[in-house]
Amino acid sequence: MLTRVAKEFDFHAAHVLPNHDGQCSRLHGHTYRLRVIVEGGVRPIDTAPDEGMVIDFAVLKRIYKEKVEPFVEHQNLNDTLVAPGHVLVSTCENMVEWIYNQFRDAIEYEGVATLAEVRLWETPTSWAEVRS
């Protein structure tokens, strides 16, 4: 049996979509919400620190803090994601793919569970997601 667990994060960032034909062609900001869903078997009760868990929520928080947050929190995404070539344009769709890859690679390295889904809200009503 697989169990799914999720952790959510919020961050604030600015970006510009230079070729957009609307307001997004000017520098503007968003409060983004990120949801990461991991699935796997629940570890047995065996006195290990992560007994009874699919993955320790602290592991997801550490991955976010190390691999994602420095590039997005209070950043101009065109400077931190586009300019170095992490994404071609700072759309929600491109960003969620990049974030998915950051978590997938770290979770595979940890070897504890499987990344199932990453969803990124650009606004409270607009989001993009990647599923495995």
Side-chain angles (χ1 to χ4, degrees):
M1 175 175 11
L2 292 178
T3 301
R4 293 166 58 102
V5 296
K7 181 122 179 97
E8 293 189 356
F9 307 92
D10 293 319
F11 62 89
H12 306 85
H15 72 146
V16 61
L17 304 176
N19 297 316
H20 192 265
D21 61 0
Q23 293 179 349
C24 293
S25 66
R26 295 187 300 275
L27 184 64
H28 63 285
H30 297 286
T31 298
Y32 291 88
R33 173 157 290 232
L34 173 66
R35 177 183 296 152
V36 177
I37 300 176
V38 175
E39 64 184 14
V42 176
R43 287 193 29 80
I45 307 303
D46 60 2
T47 71
D50 59 350
E51 68 181 354
M53 299 178 190
V54 171
I55 188 170
D56 191 329
F57 290 123
V59 171
L60 297 176
K61 184 176 181 180
R62 179 178 45 78
I63 294 168
Y64 174 77
K65 291 280 190 188
E66 292 176 4
K67 306 283 187 182
V68 177
E69 186 179 62
F71 295 92
V72 298
E73 181 60 50
H74 280 85
Q75 297 291 342
N76 179 335
L77 302 173
N78 295 78
D79 294 339
T80 59
L81 293 181
V82 177
H86 300 304
V87 300
L88 295 177
V89 65
S90 57
T91 61
C92 193
E93 295 88 339
N94 286 315
M95 290 171 55
V96 75
E97 288 181 9
W98 178 79
I99 293 168
Y100 178 93
N101 291 333
Q102 303 310 300
F103 273 91
R104 183 200 60 215
D105 294 347
I107 288 171
E108 285 179 2
Y109 177 79
E110 297 275 343
V112 294
T114 302
L115 183 60
E117 179 180 309
V118 175
R119 182 178 289 189
L120 180 64
W121 282 265
E122 187 173 90
T123 71
T125 62
S126 304
W127 54 266
E129 77 177 11
V130 175
R131 294 182 186 179
S132 55

